[in-house]
């Protein structure tokens, strides 16, 4: 497999070099002739070639074949200029000087806002994540990349899987949205990751706090909104190859994407492949349940895996319509740390240390296929948004066919199979009845069909239907004061299907006789839910300071596993039992936010207070199924509070310092665990960062040196059977630079990262493997290259 990946790597590298040798790059700058100031936003157009000048007046056109071209350069308030450019080797930078237009124009009012201004006017605590941030901080998974943001953490399942946590809440309480459609997989499971290719994403909006008003159920704690990429410019073509290698788990990965547009039609596609071995931890043995597991060369055995992703988008854009259909598929296979899957592995005949790249039992395979269509129509004063989606999530969990003492030896390794089909429709109408009001009316519907298979029952087959209507108004009192108010009502239905064991169990009858029957694990049951969501917020901008306050009511429908689970989860080594009488979760939350920005520094704080009327959680009981402890889903009142603090300062021209702090306090106020916190509650944590921008260093262009120092406190506030986690400090280093490897092409982007510089042994309280005393990954060196073409 190593040579296969290496071959792909070399192919794309050689392809980019050949492409660079056959084409050239036009660089130039557009200036105002009167005062030589940069002309930002000037258009440079020729046949099939197009560019727009930056704030410095600079422009670049890549992949231009040898020959002579005629360009027209235009800018508002200036006379168009025409120039002939001879493209050949060693072409020099072009300078264009524009004259002012002689025609006097009447007063023109420009009604436009920057995205930063729009975000300040909306009274919701949000954070925008740019492509630059994603590139600079890329880790093994998308959520590990985003975990540098205050208030965002992850539940890690090895090195290749993770799931989002926002302010201490995760699973189906955080909605992940891509291209307007909620990502629907088996996210309820502790060991189920997020099947999304993080390459090629340009913009993500993170909502901290309840967002049921906009997204319905499953957004009670927050949203990770992966937004559509921007529409390509007319007559453009570009692409990139991303190459990645890591030392800790011997990862090799390659991803290539292209984007093209003629006139009104545009296309984009991406292919990604990653292959990695067992990752290393700073320990040579693991102590779990008083049993010592020796680790071969510090490898956490059987945590290898691979991932193959593909996507294709086809779009059309005109003055009144924009529509894009995206096909994507994510296919992955990951091993689970062998000793995490119950304790039977002690007697297993599998040689887990024969290779650090093989994937032995237990493992899982998942394939997630998705089709989305996003259409925007301009109909007079109305803007109509229509999102359609279909998803098929096919997940298999394989383990050794062991009888476990209460059933015969299973016929094969397929312990569980989940096949989930999801159909989604979103409709939104945006219009302005007056200059002060911006009204939005909408509808969301979703239908799920989940089928099961395998010999290990945990949750039943089910159908789930949800629908919600909503409306909200963003009212402008004046240019600096905005109010947002909205209501939403949702209905939902869950139909669970009957299921019986595939093997007979011994049952002792009341008359002393013995029967052998196939036990019923679930019943045919139909449950209906309905709930109201509401939000009222205010934003005020005073010079360089913005203030926000928002109060809201949100809800979440119970899931099939919470309602009707009845089986052994060997990944957690417990028997899980649902509760058919659960009510929807109801949450009330107050959010505040204050941000102040000067030219050389900024500071912000965003506290919150949250109360759950009936939080659903899995509670350990004193009962046992055979030798396995039974956990039951129950509900309790829960009070939460916390928030984030951010500060940034430019000490001098080339040095920037950043600091962030996050904290969450949780307390159950009723139920069997009254007085305790919630499981997987993140401890107090701070991140200190320093970035130094060099002018130039040897052959490195725009080099940056970044140091991130994470300080995490002890987590002694736990809920049994959790154990306390010691605090830790971890240092990560990064070196980023551009390389002009090809004189006539765009520069390469290089990133060298050194994570866990001192090979610190520490335990992340929100990690899946922390439950069995497995530390986080040790020192890791990663090298990535982005080759544009």
């Amino acid at each position: 497999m190593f040579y296969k990946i290496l071959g792909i790597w070399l192919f794309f590298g050689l392809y980019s070099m050949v492409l660079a040798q056959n084409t050239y790059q036009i660089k130039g700058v557009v200036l105002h002739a009167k005062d030589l100031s940069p002309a930002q936003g000037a258009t440079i157009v020729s046949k099939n070639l197009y560019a727009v000048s930056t704030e410095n007046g600079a422009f670049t056109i890549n992949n231009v074949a040898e020959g002579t071209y005629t360009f027209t350069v235009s800018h508002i308030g200036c006379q168009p200029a025409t120039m002939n450019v001879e493209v050949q080797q060693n072409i020099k930078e072009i300078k264009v000087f524009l004259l002012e237009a002689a025609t006097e124009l009447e007063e023109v009012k420009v009604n436009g806002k920057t995205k930063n201004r729009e975000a300040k006017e909306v009274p919701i605590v949000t954070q925008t994540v740019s492509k630059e941030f994603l590139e600079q901080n890329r880790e093994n998974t998308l959520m590990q990349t985003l975990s540098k943001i205050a208030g965002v953490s992850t539940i890690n399942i090895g090195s290749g899987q993770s799931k989002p946590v926002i302010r201490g809440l995760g699973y189906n309480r955080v909605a992940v949205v891509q291209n307007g459609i909620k990502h629907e997989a088996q996210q309820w499971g502790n060991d189920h990751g997020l099947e999304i290719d993080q390459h090629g994403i340009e913009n993500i909006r993170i909502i901290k706090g309840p967002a049921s008003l906009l997204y319905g159920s499953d957004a009670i704690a927050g949203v990770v909104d992966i937004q559509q990429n921007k529409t390509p410019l007319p007559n453009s073509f570009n692409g990139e190859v991303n190459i990645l290698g890591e030392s800790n788990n011997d990862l090799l990965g390659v991803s290539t994407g292209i984007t093209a547009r003629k006139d009104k039609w545009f296309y984009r596609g991406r292919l990604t492949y990653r292959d990695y071995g067992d990752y290393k931890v700073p320990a040579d043995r693991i102590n779990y349940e008083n049993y010592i597991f020796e680790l071969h060369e510090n490898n956490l055995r059987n945590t290898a895996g691979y991932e193959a992703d593909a996507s294709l988008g086809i779009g059309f854009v005109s003055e009144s319509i924009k529509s894009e259909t995206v096909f994507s598929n994510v296919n992955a296979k990951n091993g689970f740390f062998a000793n995490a899957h119950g304790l039977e592995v002690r007697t297993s005949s599998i040689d887990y240390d024969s290779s650090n790249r093989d994937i032995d039992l237990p493992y899982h395979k998942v394939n997630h296929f998705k089709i989305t269509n996003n259409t925007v129509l301009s109909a007079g004063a109305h803007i109509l948004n229509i999102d359609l989606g279909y998803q098929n999530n096919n997940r298999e969990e394989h383990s050794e066919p062991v009888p476990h003492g209460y059933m015969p030896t299973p016929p094969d390794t397929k312990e569980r199979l989940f096949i989930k089909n999801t159909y989604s429709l979103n409709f939104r109408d945006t219009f302005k009845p007056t200059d002060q009001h911006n009204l939005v009316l909408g509808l969301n519907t979703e239908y799920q069909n989940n089928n099961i298979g395998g010999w290990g029952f945990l949750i039943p087959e089910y159908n789930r239907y949800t629908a919600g209507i909503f409306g909200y108004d963003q009212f402008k009192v004046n240019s600096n004061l905005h109010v947002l108010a909205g209501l939403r009502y949702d209905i939902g239905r869950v139909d669970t299907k009957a299921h019986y064991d595939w093997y007979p169990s011994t049952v002792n009858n009341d008359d002393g006789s013995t029967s052998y029957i196939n036990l019923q694990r679930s019943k045919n049951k139909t449950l209906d839910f309905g709930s109201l969501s509401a939000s009222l917020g205010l934003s005020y901008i005073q010079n360089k300071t913005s203030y926000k306050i928002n109060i809201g009511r949100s809800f979440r429908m119970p899931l099939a596993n919470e309602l009707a689970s009845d089986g052994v989860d060997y990944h957690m080594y417990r028997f899980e039992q649902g509760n058919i009488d659960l009510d929807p979760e109801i949450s009330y939350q107050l959010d505040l936010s204050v941000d102040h920005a000067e030219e050389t520094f900024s500071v912000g704080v965003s506290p919150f207070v949250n109360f759950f009327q009936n939080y659903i959680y899995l509670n350990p009981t004193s009962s046992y199924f055979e030798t396995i402890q039974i956990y039951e889903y129950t509900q309790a009142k829960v009070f939460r509070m916390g928030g984030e603090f951010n500060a940034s300062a430019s000490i001098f021209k080339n040095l920037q310092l950043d600091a962030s702090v996050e904290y969450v306090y949780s307390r159950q106020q009723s139920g069997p665990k009254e007085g305790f916190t919630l499981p997987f509650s993140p401890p107090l944590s701070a991140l200190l960062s320093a970035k130094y921008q060099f002018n130039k260093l040897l052959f490195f262009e725009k080099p940056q040196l970044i140091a991130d120092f994470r300080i995490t406190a002890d987590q002694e506030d736990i809920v049994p059977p959790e154990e306390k986690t010691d605090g830790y400090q971890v240092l990560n280093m990064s070196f980023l630079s551009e390389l002009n490897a090809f004189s006539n092409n765009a520069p390469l982007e290089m990133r060298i990262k050194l994570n866990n510089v001192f090979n610190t042994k520490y335990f992340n309280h929100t990690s899946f493997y922390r439950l069995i005393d497995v530390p986080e990954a040790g020192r890791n060196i990663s090298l990535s290259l982005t080759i544009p073409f």
Side-chain angles (χ1 to χ4, degrees):
M1 184 59 69
F2 172 83
Y3 295 104
K4 182 179 179 181
I5 301 300
L6 184 61
I8 296 173
W9 187 343
L10 292 174
F11 170 78
F12 282 111
L14 290 172
Y15 171 78
S16 301
M17 292 175 64
V18 171
L19 185 66
Q21 290 170 353
N22 293 332
T23 60
Y24 302 94
Q25 182 186 65
I26 300 175
K27 280 188 174 183
V29 62
V30 184
L31 305 171
H32 292 289
K34 181 179 180 179
D35 55 7
L36 299 182
S37 61
Q40 180 181 1
T43 58
I44 303 93
V45 182
S46 183
K47 184 178 180 181
N48 297 327
L49 298 173
Y50 183 86
V52 178
S53 61
T54 66
E55 60 182 356
N56 298 321
F59 67 90
T60 302
I61 305 176
N62 297 317
N63 307 317
V64 184
E66 188 173 349
T68 301
Y69 298 82
T70 300
F71 288 89
T72 300
V73 183
S74 305
H75 190 265
I76 296 175
C78 297
Q79 300 178 21
T82 302
M83 62 177 182
N84 293 320
V85 179
E86 185 176 354
V87 178
Q88 58 185 351
Q89 194 172 6
N90 299 322
I91 182 174
K92 295 182 179 179
E93 185 176 271
I94 299 165
K95 288 188 177 181
V96 183
F97 300 94
L98 298 180
L99 300 173
E100 289 185 0
T103 305
E104 292 186 4
L105 299 176
E106 297 180 358
E107 180 183 3
V108 177
K109 292 183 178 180
V110 179
N111 296 316
K113 297 178 183 178
T114 64
K115 288 186 177 181
N116 185 43
R117 174 73 186 193
E118 289 179 346
K120 288 181 179 180
E121 292 178 354
V122 178
I124 299 175
V125 180
T126 66
Q127 184 159 349
T128 299
V129 182
S130 65
K131 183 179 180 181
E132 180 184 13
F133 177 93
L134 295 171
E135 293 286 349
Q136 292 184 359
N137 298 280
R138 178 160 290 145
E139 299 291 345
N140 280 319
T141 67
L142 174 62
M143 289 315 306
Q144 288 172 339
T145 300
L146 296 177
S147 62
K148 190 176 178 180
I149 298 171
V152 179
S153 55
T154 66
I155 295 176
N156 296 326
I157 309 108
S159 62
Q161 303 176 80
S162 63
K163 57 204 313 158
V165 175
I166 295 181
R167 290 175 166 174
L169 299 178
Y171 300 93
N172 281 70
R173 294 182 180 89
V174 175
V176 177
V177 178
Q178 187 174 31
N179 297 334
I181 299 295
K182 278 199 296 184
H183 183 78
E184 290 289 353
Q186 304 291 341
Q187 58 263 45
W188 54 269
N190 291 278
D191 52 342
H192 302 173
L194 191 63
E195 301 90 6
I196 290 179
D197 182 8
Q198 65 174 320
H199 290 279
I201 296 174
E202 294 181 0
N203 190 36
I204 298 177
R205 185 175 71 146
I206 294 177
I207 300 177
K208 301 175 185 177
S212 292
L213 174 66
L214 302 179
Y215 299 92
S217 182
D218 298 353
I220 197 169
V223 179
V224 178
D225 188 355
I226 304 170
Q227 301 184 331
Q228 281 186 286
N229 290 349
K230 61 184 178 182
T231 304
L233 297 173
N235 302 311
S236 63
F237 175 86
N238 58 72
E240 65 179 21
V241 176
N242 308 98
I243 300 172
L244 173 65
E246 295 189 354
S247 64
N248 183 279
N249 59 353
D250 298 331
L251 179 144
L252 289 173
V254 60
S255 179
T256 182
I258 59 170
T259 302
R261 177 178 170 184
K262 286 297 185 182
D263 182 16
K264 296 181 178 180
W265 289 93
F266 61 92
Y267 317 86
R268 40 180 154 227
R270 179 166 289 272
L271 295 172
T272 300
Y273 189 82
R274 298 168 4 110
D275 188 281
Y276 51 92
D278 300 339
Y279 72 93
K280 299 178 180 63
V281 296
D284 54 13
R285 59 180 57 190
I286 302 296
N287 187 341
Y288 174 52
E289 297 286 340
N290 296 319
Y291 184 81
I292 303 297
F293 301 110
E294 300 288 343
L295 300 182
H296 178 65
E297 297 180 353
N298 301 105
N299 288 317
L300 196 64
R301 58 174 67 98
N302 204 45
T303 54
Y306 69 79
E307 180 181 326
D309 310 326
S311 65
L312 172 66
I314 303 172
F316 177 84
V317 60
S318 67
E319 292 184 359
S320 59
I321 183 173
K322 175 190 172 185
S323 182
E324 182 177 11
T325 301
V326 179
F327 304 83
S328 66
N329 194 80
V330 174
N331 183 276
K333 181 179 180 181
N334 308 91
F336 292 112
F337 174 46
N339 304 113
H341 198 267
L343 299 179
E344 288 80 4
V345 74
R346 297 177 182 177
T347 60
S348 173
S349 60
I350 297 175
D351 184 2
Y352 287 103
D353 298 323
S354 61
S355 170
N356 73 325
R357 299 196 81 87
D358 58 359
I359 305 174
D360 296 311
L361 296 168
Y363 66 84
H364 89 139
K365 296 192 299 184
V366 62
N367 191 89
H368 193 95
F369 175 71
K370 182 187 300 185
I371 305 175
T372 60
N373 174 267
N374 306 102
T375 300
V376 181
L377 300 170
S378 296
H382 294 257
I383 298 177
L384 307 179
N385 290 263
I386 304 170
D387 303 322
L388 297 170
Y390 166 72
Q391 300 174 71
N392 173 266
N393 184 270
N394 189 316
R395 175 186 170 91
E396 297 180 9
E397 297 179 4
H398 292 257
S399 63
E400 288 190 81
V402 178
H404 297 295
Y406 60 88
M407 66 178 178
T409 301
D412 52 36
T413 65
K414 189 182 293 185
E415 180 180 357
R416 286 198 290 259
L417 170 67
F418 304 102
I419 302 177
K420 181 178 180 181
N421 296 290
T422 304
Y423 306 84
S424 306
L425 166 64
N426 302 326
F427 173 79
R428 190 169 70 253
D429 178 13
T430 304
F431 60 98
K432 294 175 69 69
T434 68
D435 289 339
Q436 283 73 38
H437 292 272
N438 186 22
L439 288 173
V440 178
L441 302 176
L443 165 72
N444 305 121
T445 64
E446 185 179 87
Y447 172 74
Q448 298 177 12
N449 167 249
N450 198 71
N451 300 297
I452 65 172
W455 48 262
F457 178 81
L458 184 57
I459 69 170
E461 293 185 344
Y462 68 88
N463 297 323
R464 183 177 188 253
Y465 174 75
T466 59
I469 56 173
F470 65 90
Y472 63 89
D473 178 22
Q474 186 171 341
F475 173 63
K476 183 176 73 172
V477 180
N478 56 53
S479 60
N480 293 323
L481 179 61
H482 294 77
V483 177
L484 186 146
L487 288 172
R488 178 187 180 106
Y489 189 78
D490 285 85
I491 59 172
R493 168 169 288 186
V494 178
D495 289 318
T496 62
K497 307 302 179 183
H499 183 88
Y500 294 84
D501 282 341
W502 60 274
Y503 59 90
S505 296
T506 303
V507 176
N508 295 322
N509 301 318
D510 293 337
D511 60 2
S513 62
T514 300
S515 300
Y516 298 91
I517 63 173
N518 294 66
L519 295 178
Q520 184 172 8
R521 294 296 184 183
S522 63
K523 299 179 180 180
N524 291 317
K525 188 75 174 180
T526 299
L527 298 170
D528 294 310
F529 302 96
S531 188
L532 180 73
S533 300
S535 180
L536 176 64
L538 179 147
S539 70
Y540 177 64
I541 303 172
Q542 183 182 36
N543 298 324
K544 299 178 181 180
T545 306
S546 62
Y547 305 87
K548 294 183 180 183
I549 181 171
N550 188 80
I551 186 169
R553 180 188 194 271
S554 295
F555 90 107
R556 183 181 72 86
M557 284 176 51
L559 303 175
N561 64 302
E562 297 167 330
L563 294 166
S565 61
D566 189 38
V568 180
D569 184 352
Y570 281 101
H571 295 290
M572 304 299 293
Y573 203 64
R574 65 192 181 199
F575 190 99
E576 298 182 7
Q577 199 163 69
N579 183 348
I580 206 72
D581 296 321
L582 293 175
D583 295 319
E585 285 183 342
I586 303 297
S587 169
Y588 300 91
Q589 182 153 325
L590 172 67
D591 281 283
L592 301 172
S593 176
V594 180
D595 290 284
H596 180 81
E598 296 285 349
E599 185 175 349
T600 58
F601 77 91
S602 63
V603 63
V605 60
S606 50
F608 73 91
V609 177
N610 174 222
F611 176 73
F612 275 92
Q613 183 175 310
N614 43 13
Y615 184 90
I616 301 172
Y617 70 99
L618 197 57
N619 177 55
T621 71
S622 57
S623 302
Y624 284 80
F625 175 81
E626 299 293 333
T627 59
I628 302 172
Q629 188 176 11
I630 296 177
Y631 284 59
E632 292 180 342
Y633 282 99
T634 187
Q635 294 186 289
K637 295 180 180 180
V638 173
F639 173 79
R640 303 171 64 250
M641 63 179 293
E644 301 83 42
F645 169 82
N646 295 276
S648 178
S650 298
I651 304 302
F652 49 88
K653 182 179 179 181
N654 293 348
L655 178 62
Q656 179 177 327
L657 302 179
D658 296 281
S660 63
V661 180
E662 55 186 293
Y663 175 69
V664 175
Y665 169 87
S666 303
R667 190 64 66 222
Q668 298 186 41
Q669 297 186 325
S670 66
K673 290 294 187 293
E674 183 178 358
F676 287 99
T677 185
L678 295 177
F680 286 105
S681 292
L684 172 67
S685 182
L687 180 64
L688 308 177
S689 299
K691 179 172 70 175
Y692 187 83
Q693 174 77 62
F694 297 90
N695 294 324
K696 188 174 182 180
L697 185 64
L698 301 176
F699 50 83
F700 298 109
E701 301 288 341
K702 302 178 182 178
Q704 300 178 43
L705 183 63
I706 304 173
D708 294 328
F709 188 58
R710 170 75 69 178
I711 305 172
T712 302
D714 298 344
Q715 182 53 291
E716 298 182 348
D717 194 12
I718 60 169
V719 54
E722 278 190 328
E723 294 185 0
K724 298 178 181 179
T725 306
D726 292 333
Y728 58 88
Q729 300 83 41
V730 176
L731 176 66
N732 300 324
M733 302 287 293
S734 302
F735 179 77
L736 296 78
S737 179
E738 295 182 355
L739 297 172
N740 290 317
F742 311 113
S743 59
N744 295 306
N745 209 338
L748 279 67
E749 297 178 8
M750 182 192 72
R751 293 168 292 275
I752 301 175
K753 297 187 68 176
L754 177 57
N755 284 352
N756 196 355
V757 174
F758 300 110
N759 202 35
T760 303
K761 181 180 179 180
Y762 69 100
F763 296 86
N764 183 351
H765 194 75
T766 62
S767 171
F768 173 75
Y769 285 147
R770 184 265 308 173
L771 299 175
I772 55 172
D773 295 324
V774 173
E776 293 301 298
R779 183 185 296 112
N780 180 46
I781 302 173
S782 65
L783 170 63
S784 63
L785 292 174
T786 298
I787 307 171
F789 60 87

